[in-house]
Amino acid sequence: MKPENVVLSENGSSVIIIDQTKLPNKTEYLTLKTPEDFYDAIRELKVRGAPAIGICAGMALFVIASGFSGHSEEKFLSELHNVSAFLNSSRPTAVNLKHALDRVENSAHALRGKGVEAMLDAMHKECIAIQDEDVAMCKAISEYGLTLVKDGDGILTHCNAGPLATSSYGTGLGTLLLGKERGYTFHAYTDETRPLLQGARLTAYELNKAGIDVTLICDNMASIVMKQGKINACFVGCDRVAANGDTANKIGTSGVAVLAKHYGIPFYVFCPSSTIDFRCRTGEDIEIEERDPEEISTKFFKEPMAPQGIKCYNPAFDVTDSSLISAIITEKGICRAPYEQSLRICMEG
Ligand code: MRU
């Protein structure tokens, strides 16, 4: 499966993305070239999902730096650093953004003394490698996921961690998609995921398109479907994992984990190992993005659904306590508590 959500153009002068804000009603492609194009696309969630943001930002750095090819090495590297910092400021929570930007920037630094063209060549290779590796990681994560479920299981999902959010298969949805290819029948219950409806707009769309049985529920219906015995496991992606296993993911994820614990249902977090950030000791150290209040009060409604000017609080992510997580599944294996140890072993392996 070749990724279609984020594509570096043949001549390397732009990145073409599927505008995720237009799905599921329209499949529209956007061509991004300038630092502002990329910043806005990431900020406005036209490209979203932790791995996809990283892939897009890595390619962005290459595309933008190609315009600096007449510079001296020092000027090239300093401009590159400024662009990288600018793109990194577009969204704070997903560590994959910084990780990918650093990789592409470092690939240029490694060729100091060899000239700007050689640096650009290395950056091109690096940003393509980030995407290729993600394809392989999603497949490996999905294989591990399949060892945790059985045919016929009901799976509750939150937000969107499918191919659109990654490269192919996805992390949180990969098990369902790979399972479908292998003849498993799963019953997905997909939280709509207020306020921006990534579950309704994107997960329901991706699972439905793949022929997987999917039922859309409002976020506040998770408890009833769990109580009714419809859910055998919860699958979510994540944006950053702290050293102790606390994980940041889309707002509402921690509530699902609390409910799962109450009903004795396993709660699984899926992510590439690059999402683990040992610089964050616990979830307290993870910066939570706060977004425009208008997303709660007005966006997606024909008329405002709240009194004009009402005070809104709109954190885009929350942190799930590691004590609520049954396992964190990466491309390197399945990590269980105590996470301080299992995550380190996973990274070293
Ligand atoms: O604000 P978003 O839509 O970028 O949030 C995305 C999520 O929370 C995903 O679950 C996470 O990035 C993992 S994507 C594989």
Side-chain angles (χ1 to χ4, degrees):
M1 254 196 277
K2 250 195 151 344
E4 290 167 7
N5 57 337
V6 181
V7 178
L8 182 65
S9 67
E10 286 272 315
N11 63 6
S13 67
S14 62
V15 175
I16 298 121
I17 60 162
I18 293 179
D19 181 349
Q20 297 193 38
T21 62
K22 296 282 166 44
L23 290 170
N25 298 320
K26 282 188 210 141
T27 304
E28 266 184 31
Y29 293 87
L30 290 175
T31 301
L32 311 176
K33 291 185 173 178
T34 67
E36 291 71 26
D37 289 346
F38 287 105
Y39 181 97
D40 291 344
I42 296 172
R43 179 79 207 147
E44 298 304 319
L45 313 191
K46 290 174 178 165
V47 54
R48 51 146 297 284
I53 294 171
I55 292 164
C56 182
M59 290 177 179
L61 217 46
F62 166 71
V63 166
I64 297 162
S66 301
F68 310 149
S69 59
H71 292 358
S72 68
E73 278 194 4
E74 285 321 302
K75 181 132 175 24
F76 178 86
L77 289 172
S78 112
E79 297 275 338
L80 186 61
H81 187 68
N82 292 341
V83 175
S84 178
F86 174 64
L87 296 178
N88 189 43
S89 67
S90 57
R91 295 197 78 191
T93 305
V95 71
N96 313 60
L97 174 59
K98 171 112 180 84
H99 186 259
L101 287 168
D102 285 352
R103 268 185 68 170
V104 177
E105 197 181 337
N106 290 340
S107 71
H109 276 270
L111 289 186
R112 255 201 163 107
K114 302 263 190 272
V116 164
E117 285 310 317
M119 289 177 174
L120 279 169
D121 195 39
M123 289 172 68
H124 180 259
K125 288 200 179 87
E126 195 68 15
C127 67
I128 296 294
I130 291 171
Q131 189 173 43
D132 290 348
E133 286 167 25
D134 194 73
V135 172
M137 286 189 294
C138 286
K139 182 87 187 289
I141 289 168
S142 310
E143 293 282 5
Y144 282 119
L146 275 179
T147 67
L148 299 169
V149 284
K150 54 182 193 326
D151 193 28
D153 272 356
I155 308 292
L156 187 128
T157 69
H158 193 76
C159 196
N160 173 264
L164 284 163
T166 57
S167 51
S168 71
Y169 289 105
T171 52
L173 298 189
T175 303
L176 301 179
L177 294 167
L178 186 65
K180 170 77 185 168
E181 285 177 12
R182 304 250 169 100
Y184 287 71
T185 301
F186 293 119
H187 305 287
Y189 287 83
T190 290
D191 281 353
E192 61 176 352
T193 318
R194 279 276 291 152
L196 295 180
L197 306 175
Q198 288 92 332
R201 293 186 301 106
L202 307 174
T203 299
Y205 165 77
E206 288 190 314
L207 294 181
N208 197 39
K209 197 165 123 195
I212 292 168
D213 175 48
V214 51
T215 304
L216 180 64
I217 58 172
C218 300
D219 297 342
N220 53 5
M221 297 170 191
S223 177
I224 192 170
V225 292
M226 289 186 188
K227 191 167 188 169
Q228 289 170 342
K230 293 183 161 84
I231 308 299
N232 300 95
C234 302
F235 282 8
V236 298
C238 81
D239 289 77
R240 201 181 290 239
V241 182
N244 72 341
D246 291 349
T247 64
N249 191 48
K250 180 52 53 194
I251 191 73
T253 302
S254 68
V256 175
V258 171
L259 289 173
K261 180 95 170 175
H262 177 76
Y263 291 111
I265 296 167
F267 181 88
Y268 296 123
V269 173
F270 295 81
C271 63
S273 56
S274 54
T275 309
I276 303 168
D277 184 0
F278 290 115
R279 291 167 309 171
C280 294
R281 216 173 43 79
T282 73
E284 292 281 309
D285 300 327
I286 301 176
E287 185 182 345
I288 299 294
E289 174 182 10
E290 207 178 317
R291 294 183 63 86
D292 191 342
E294 188 252 335
E295 291 178 348
I296 295 183
S297 58
T298 319
K299 202 162 188 164
F300 297 131
F301 299 117
K302 276 219 168 84
E303 289 178 15
M305 293 301 283
Q308 220 190 351
I310 195 77
K311 222 183 343 162
C312 294
Y313 176 46
N314 186 13
F317 298 92
D318 60 24
V319 172
T320 300
D321 233 68
S322 59
S323 62
L324 300 170
I325 300 171
S326 310
I328 299 174
I329 297 96
T330 76
E331 79 285 2
K332 297 186 179 186
I334 300 176
C335 304
R336 294 188 189 267
Y339 290 106
E340 279 87 355
Q341 287 159 34
S342 62
L343 292 174
R344 296 250 172 221
I345 294 168
C346 158
M347 288 305 269
E348 282 155 16

